[in-house]
Amino acid sequence: MAPGGVLVADLETLVIAEGSEWEVTVYDVRNSAAWAVESFRRNPGPSQGIYWHHTVSRCEDVGVEEQYRWLLTHKDSGPYGLPYNFVVFPREPHNVWYLCDVDKAWPHTYGHNDATAICAVGNWDVTPTPPGLADTMWRVSHALMVMWGQDIDVFGHRDCFATACPGRYLYADLKMLRDGPA
């Protein structure tokens, strides 16, 4: 049983871009906790960008219960909690958690809080990304594009603000996926 009396078997899942090549299943825990405080109201619909982040803090657990416990433990850490729309865990099977509704604005990317944020758990500035982590984040990015029916630019947090986020290794993976081999 996960914290708060929630049975892991009772966690809801959601399929994004069902039936497409980018289909992805996520744990939908938007209503399980207050993950962050909404920045401001935005009009529902396609995002103006997708930004990749990293948490810096680590969690190597592969179990759903342990990951959920980690999320709940970290929801109040830092000034904004966990303001990301999606969080991806680094170990196979790279579980994806849907925390904050994509139709709202959250404090994750200065000047771009109306965009969508996908965050990888870990410090990808000092540790190379494990195989499959960037691919999973890329899959989530494209599943959202399929859902919204349009291409959306994908950025690293550092593309718009002086920060190391999403870490040099994850950012290199993003650039390779986005721009192709050098």
Side-chain angles (χ1 to χ4, degrees):
M1 183 173 298
V6 175
L7 294 173
V8 172
D10 292 339
L11 290 173
E12 292 186 32
T13 59
L14 175 70
V15 179
I16 303 171
E18 188 169 10
S20 79
E21 67 179 298
W22 298 106
E23 178 179 305
V24 65
T25 301
V26 301
Y27 288 98
D28 185 358
V29 294
R30 290 175 290 171
N31 298 316
S32 298
W35 302 106
V37 175
E38 189 176 355
S39 292
F40 54 87
R41 287 283 172 187
R42 80 170 191 88
N43 292 327
S47 181
Q48 299 304 304
I50 296 172
Y51 287 86
W52 284 17
H53 298 263
H54 69 158
T55 61
V56 179
S57 55
R58 299 173 42 146
C59 176
E60 296 296 327
D61 292 320
V62 296
V64 172
E65 183 173 324
E66 293 85 6
Q67 290 174 1
Y68 187 56
R69 181 175 289 117
W70 186 93
L71 289 167
L72 289 170
T73 300
H74 286 81
K75 73 180 181 58
D76 296 319
S77 58
Y80 305 110
L82 287 172
Y84 312 107
N85 303 102
F86 299 92
V87 171
V88 182
F89 280 85
R91 301 276 304 272
E92 288 284 348
H94 305 296
N95 291 325
V96 181
W97 296 78
Y98 187 10
L99 304 183
C100 298
D101 198 303
V102 294
D103 285 333
K104 297 179 180 178
W106 306 94
H108 54 73
T109 309
Y110 183 75
H112 301 277
N113 288 342
D114 57 343
T116 300
I118 303 172
C119 184
V121 173
N123 187 342
W124 309 116
D125 199 47
V126 298
T127 306
T129 51
L133 177 60
D135 293 331
T136 298
M137 293 177 73
W138 194 246
R139 174 171 289 289
V140 173
S141 300
H142 281 276
L144 292 168
M145 291 180 214
V146 169
M147 179 184 80
W148 285 315
Q150 68 183 56
D151 286 338
I152 298 170
D153 291 328
V154 182
F155 304 97
H157 185 186
R158 67 171 54 185
D159 288 327
C160 69
F161 192 74
T163 178
C165 187
R168 66 182 166 141
Y169 294 106
L170 185 56
Y171 187 72
D173 292 342
L174 166 62
K175 283 183 55 87
M176 210 283 287
L177 288 165
R178 182 181 63 195
D179 305 337

